[in-house]
Amino acid sequence: GIAGAEYAARRAAMASRLPRGSVALFAPAPLAYMSHDVPYPFQQAPDLHYLCGFAEPSCLLACVKRGGGDGGRSSGSGVDAPDDAEWLLFVEPSDPAQALWDGPRAGIDGARRHILPDGEVLKIGAAPTALLRILDAMDASRGDTAIRPGLLFDVDRNPQLTAALRPVLEWCKERQLRVTRAAAHVQPLRLLKSDAEAALMARAADATAEAFLETMAASAAAAARGGATEALLAARFEYETRLRGCGRLAYPCVVASGVRACTLHYMHNNALLSPGDLLLMDAGGSFGGYSADITRTWPLSGTFTPEQRDVYSAVLSVNEACIAAAKGDGGTSIASLHHLSLRLTHEALVQLGVLGPGEAHRVSRYYPHNIGHYLGLDVHDTPLASQSQPLLPGMALTVEPGLYFPPDDPQLPAWCRGIGVRIEDDIVIGSDGAA
């Protein structure tokens, strides 16, 4: 797992990014319910998880960076040294009556001992009053300086918490202070994985790869005996990942057989398995909160038809070339890898006789998605991070070219209609710049 010292270092790095005279708030993910009082499994908001590892839903993490006028030691650049930051965690107190139903909470003492030993832990109900007191003090102490208190808070993250913090937001509105996104400051830190994070991601990827092998081995028999649906393979995959230590799936499995592989996010998983079909499975386990995201396509009969093999080989060649090109060389980015994948896919489609040499503009009809995305605590990690920035050591990403030939496209040769193939791998840019 992640050691307490690493969480503390992350908070220090986060604090160093904040302007003096600011308060940054990190909200938990909201609880979601599948029916009146039946909750979905809770998954913590990744930014809050990254900064302290607290897994309970009713909480709020705050970082206070005071201005130079109230005792903060200014660096002269508008940013204070990290030790000028104060961290607060607001949590639900322990409650024996609640514990009878839902299990024990960390409570204030547990959170202080295990989550934020270098900060202050308070009741969640005290958050609005405590934050207003802090903002008032910062505003009063700024004197003649130009520094005004600023609030960084993703107001759309947790509507219930945002409503509870309405007095704080009204305080900012009355003083014409803009509320900006806290996520924009923490996501650049999340992009670069530590050794401990990379180790957890390797465990997730290993468990996912082994689960794929077991699911592939079971798929031929399931298709041959008849009556089995894609859901059986989804269940087998989840079982195999949990058997290897994953706490949950990173996202719902895509198990798409036959023409359903041409639907990119097919999740019904209810069609009957047929021995003559290809099966596209996009799935991943989550280990220690970190995600894997892998896609494989294979014939349920155990043997590709010549047509299926031609399409599969074309996608595999693009996958391997893009992985080889993924380097932390100061110039390569996810965006540049995507441009490479478009060119290589066009060349492959020309060789297959699907497109002509002058039809590069039609590639996106059959390859409509990006080559990949960042990977980490979220499967589509750090969504605010630009995919045009150069890859650096410690960045984790997916490489996932594909070809999807709709069954009813009259512009396609008859031989390839209804074939869908995607091959996706997870890579981390190493210290030497290579994937």
Side-chain angles (χ1 to χ4, degrees):
I2 304 298
E6 180 162 332
Y7 282 119
R10 292 174 181 181
R11 291 192 293 274
M14 176 66 209
S16 71
R17 297 179 62 88
L18 294 176
R20 51 197 169 102
S22 63
V23 177
L25 305 179
F26 301 93
L31 282 172
Y33 290 83
M34 63 181 73
S35 63
H36 168 62
D37 57 356
V38 180
Y40 286 104
F42 179 71
Q43 180 178 338
Q44 188 57 278
D47 289 343
L48 189 149
H49 183 140
Y50 178 81
L51 290 168
C52 70
F54 194 59
E56 293 182 17
S58 184
C59 64
L60 175 67
L61 181 67
C63 181
V64 180
K65 283 290 296 289
R66 301 185 186 277
D70 58 346
R73 292 184 299 279
S74 171
S75 66
S77 63
V79 174
D80 288 335
D83 59 358
D84 285 325
E86 302 169 32
W87 288 88
L88 301 91
L89 180 62
F90 300 92
V91 304
E92 287 283 2
S94 298
D95 181 352
Q98 166 272 332
L100 176 65
W101 294 91
D102 301 321
R105 299 182 182 124
I108 291 174
D109 290 339
R112 183 180 295 121
R113 185 180 308 114
H114 300 293
I115 304 298
L116 198 70
D118 55 347
E120 187 174 2
V121 181
L122 303 168
K123 296 179 181 180
I124 185 64
T129 301
L131 293 171
L132 284 173
R133 186 183 307 118
I134 289 169
L135 289 167
D136 278 333
M138 292 171 68
D139 195 33
S141 64
R142 66 188 179 93
D144 296 329
T145 69
I147 299 173
R148 303 183 68 199
L151 184 66
L152 297 90
F153 177 46
D154 296 278
V155 296
D156 56 349
R157 162 54 70 181
N158 187 315
Q160 183 176 356
L161 180 63
T162 297
L165 295 177
R166 185 175 300 279
V168 176
L169 298 174
E170 289 293 333
W171 187 96
C172 293
K173 184 178 180 180
E174 289 169 3
R175 289 157 181 78
Q176 298 182 328
L177 300 177
R178 193 162 58 98
V179 178
T180 57
R181 301 198 69 170
H185 294 266
V186 69
Q187 290 193 17
L189 299 175
R190 287 173 48 202
L191 264 181
L192 303 178
K193 306 300 186 287
S194 68
D195 290 344
E197 289 179 291
L200 291 172
M201 295 187 73
R203 292 288 299 272
D206 288 344
T208 297
E210 292 172 12
F212 260 101
L213 293 175
E214 295 294 337
T215 305
M216 287 178 179
S219 65
R225 72 172 171 263
T229 69
E230 297 153 338
L232 177 68
L233 301 184
R236 179 62 180 262
F237 177 85
E238 181 171 2
Y239 165 76
E240 296 291 348
T241 57
R242 288 182 178 272
L243 192 64
R244 290 162 175 80
C246 289
R248 58 176 174 83
L249 293 176
Y251 54 95
C253 293
V254 173
V255 187
S257 60
V259 299
R260 287 158 290 277
C262 298
T263 300
L264 299 185
H265 287 167
Y266 170 84
M267 292 184 184
H268 298 298
N269 299 349
N270 59 5
L272 290 171
L273 301 174
S274 176
D277 285 341
L278 286 179
L279 185 118
L280 184 156
M281 176 178 278
D282 185 337
S286 174
F287 192 97
Y290 286 82
S291 302
D293 182 4
I294 292 175
T295 305
R296 289 295 182 266
T297 309
W298 69 91
L300 287 170
S301 66
T303 304
F304 287 107
T305 66
E307 295 81 7
Q308 291 169 345
R309 181 174 294 279
D310 284 346
V311 178
Y312 182 90
S313 297
V315 175
L316 180 61
S317 67
V318 178
N319 170 275
E320 292 175 340
C322 288
I323 290 175
K327 299 182 183 300
D329 56 8
T332 303
S333 63
I334 291 180
S336 70
L337 291 176
H338 183 61
H339 289 306
L340 173 64
S341 73
L342 289 172
R343 177 173 64 80
L344 296 175
T345 300
H346 178 233
E347 293 173 0
L349 289 172
V350 171
Q351 290 183 338
L352 290 172
V354 173
L355 294 182
E359 294 185 298
H361 62 283
R362 293 184 57 207
V363 169
S364 60
R365 174 74 179 91
Y366 307 116
Y367 170 39
H369 57 76
N370 208 332
I371 186 60
H373 52 80
Y374 299 116
L375 187 66
L377 287 168
D378 266 348
V379 64
H380 291 163
D381 205 44
T382 57
L384 299 180
S386 170
Q387 295 196 341
S388 297
Q389 64 182 302
L391 296 177
L392 296 171
M395 287 185 176
L397 59 145
T398 65
V399 176
E400 49 181 305
L403 283 171
Y404 315 91
F405 298 130
D408 55 355
D409 187 339
Q411 294 182 293
L412 285 172
W415 67 266
C416 67
R417 294 177 191 171
I419 295 178
V421 173
R422 181 164 65 254
I423 303 173
E424 177 180 17
D425 290 297
D426 304 341
I427 63 173
V428 176
I429 305 300
S431 58
D432 60 354

